Structure formats: C-alpha cells, structure tokens
Amino acid sequence: MAASPGPAGVGGAGAVYGSGPLGFALDSGLEIKRSVEQTLLPLVSQITTLINHKDNTKKSDKTLQAIQRVGQAVNLAVGRFVKVGEAIANENWDLKEEINIACIEAKQAGETIAALTDITNLNHLESDGQITIFTDKTGVIKAARLLLSSVTKVLLLADRVVIKQIITSRNKRLTIYNLRHS
C-alpha cells in the first residue's frame, strides 16, 4: 500500500507507518475513521429515535415513557463513556486537558438530553388520556449535536493515544532488533 504524502513530507490520511522486519502497517486515517463511525452508530441510532418521534403535541403515556427511557439510556451511556475518557486522560498528561474538556461537554449534553426527555414533571392529562406537552426538539437537537461532537473528539484523542502507544512499542522493538543485528 502506498503512503499518501502529507504536508512537508509527513504521512497524510492513508499513510502507512512501520512497515519493515518488525514493523506493521498502520493506516492511520481510514482505521481511525472506521473506529469512530462504528463506536458512534448505537448513539446515533438512539438520538435519531429521540428526534424523530412524532411531532404532535399529544403523546400517550407509553410514548412518553419510551422517549424518557431513551433519554435516560443516552445519559447513562454517556456517563460510562465519560468515565473511560477521564481514565484515559489521567494516564496521558499531554492530552488530559483536551480529553477532559470534551468529556465535560459530552456529560453536559447527555444530562441535557435526559432533562429534556424527563416526563416526571408533566401533569397535563387531557380528557382523552393523552398528555399534552411541548417538547424542546430544538434543544434536543442542539444537545445531540454537542454530544456527537464531543464524543467524536474523545474518540479521536483516544485513538491518538493508541497510535502513540503503537509507535512507541514499534520503536522499542526496532531498537532491540537493531541492537541484535548490528
């Protein structure tokens, strides 16, 4: 596989690093993109479900509970994700600030989605058994965009950590190889 030249001779997207007797191919651009996309698919699916619920203002109790469960599920998943991101940040001081900022944004977005889908404060039961609410769909969309953006940042930064670890490991292996064969 040929490497794509980047600025000033540095490998760009699709660059292959570390091919040699002890090296291995690392397609930095394509693999990171796939990793981020695969990780985000379940989150995108849940958010799409939230946003695409019917726009009518009268919703059955069952529908409202389903919307609330999805909002809570998104928030819980984000909470677990943030804990992992914070652990990665604590082990990687050079990226700690960037990861922590992205984690804070993700946490705020998850909490906003949960709050906007919370039905516990609704007491507007109509005579037909339906609850009339005016959901803040724009707020959910804004929070979802922030969430996807911040989660993507954390994933990309985590991938940078992994790439750095792979390169460090490869360099150690090359040093040992060169010492044995010189």
Side-chain angles (χ1 to χ4, degrees), residues 74-151:
V74 167
N75 190 36
L76 288 172
V78 169
R80 288 189 297 269
F81 178 84
V82 165
K83 284 182 183 177
V84 172
E86 289 170 343
I88 292 169
N90 288 333
E91 294 175 5
N92 298 278
W93 291 95
D94 54 330
L95 297 173
K96 183 174 182 165
E97 185 177 350
E98 286 180 87
I99 294 173
N100 280 336
I101 289 169
C103 285
I104 290 167
E105 290 174 354
K107 186 176 179 182
Q108 289 172 342
E111 290 171 351
T112 299
I113 289 171
L116 291 172
T117 57
D118 187 5
I119 61 169
T120 57
N121 298 327
L122 300 175
N123 294 319
H124 308 294
L125 191 61
E126 299 288 327
S127 60
D128 59 1
Q130 303 250 320
I131 297 176
T132 301
I133 61 164
F134 299 97
T135 57
D136 184 2
K137 193 169 186 174
T138 303
V140 172
I141 291 170
K142 285 180 181 179
R145 285 182 180 153
L146 176 61
L147 178 60
L148 292 173
S149 171
S150 56
V151 166

Side-chain angles (χ1 to χ4, degrees), residues 41 140 164:
L41 280 176
V140 172
K164 186 173 74 174

Side-chain angles (χ1 to χ4, degrees), residues 45-64:
S45 176
Q46 286 185 325
I47 290 172
T48 301
T49 300
L50 260 180
I51 292 171
N52 288 338
H53 70 276
K54 293 181 182 175
D55 282 330
N56 61 352
T57 58
K58 289 188 177 186
K59 296 178 180 22
S60 70
D61 188 45
K62 189 175 179 181
T63 301
L64 290 171

Side-chain angles (χ1 to χ4, degrees), residues 31-45:
E31 290 303 315
I32 290 174
K33 184 178 177 189
R34 282 189 197 145
S35 169
V36 171
E37 287 175 352
Q38 289 173 348
T39 305
L40 291 177
L41 280 176
L43 183 59
V44 170
S45 176

